[in-house]
Amino acid sequence: MPYVDQAALEDRFGADELRQLAPDGLDGVDPGRVARACQDASNTADAYLAGRYALPLAVVPELLVRLTAAIARYDLHLGPGRVVTDQVKDEKVAAISMLKDIQARRADLDLPSGEAPAPEAEGPEVLRTPSRSRTPDSWLDSYRFGDFC
């Protein structure tokens, strides 16, 4: 289920803008095109939220509606004969940036996490193995006889 729908887009951006971006040929709005943009925007958000929250979300915060609305609006601006304004592009970039912040735990949706927080790493994990002296000839023998350690 999309986080944003046609009614939310009309409320945020106006019915006139939607008629221009997704015309149905009869001075109305093509609901299929709008629904696809809304679903695509929600799928994009889910890609960022999946590692942090259990999906699908039971409750959709207003912040997520705003972010997916900006992405859906941008998607509706794409196509032949359309020009994406700087404002629309900037809003989409800001929405993706916020989703990245949520994914990285620099921002929050105030929802229960789907998993325990990852422990803070102090540095890269290093795999330690027992050291053995080897010469190039012993490496080749190990390969021949199946001893790769």
Side-chain angles (χ1 to χ4, degrees), residues 35-55:
R36 278 189 305 279
C38 291
Q39 187 62 58
D40 289 348
S42 298
N43 291 344
T44 298
D46 280 348
Y48 289 98
L49 302 177
R52 180 145 184 219
Y53 298 102
L55 299 176

Side-chain angles (χ1 to χ4, degrees), residues 29-88:
V29 176
D30 178 354
R33 180 165 160 72
V34 173
R36 278 189 305 279
C38 291
Q39 187 62 58
D40 289 348
S42 298
N43 291 344
T44 298
D46 280 348
Y48 289 98
L49 302 177
R52 180 145 184 219
Y53 298 102
L55 299 176
L57 297 176
V59 176
V60 180
E62 182 59 29
L63 173 61
L64 191 54
V65 174
R66 182 172 58 85
L67 298 175
T68 53
I71 296 168
R73 182 186 193 197
Y74 176 85
D75 288 350
L76 288 169
H77 272 81
L78 300 177
R82 295 192 178 93
V83 176
V84 179
T85 65
D86 288 339
Q87 177 185 350
V88 170

Side-chain angles (χ1 to χ4, degrees), residues 101-121:
D101 286 346
I102 292 167
Q103 180 185 44
R105 301 180 193 283
R106 291 185 297 264
D108 196 75
L109 289 176
D110 291 328
L111 296 173
S113 287
E115 64 177 31
E120 293 293 323

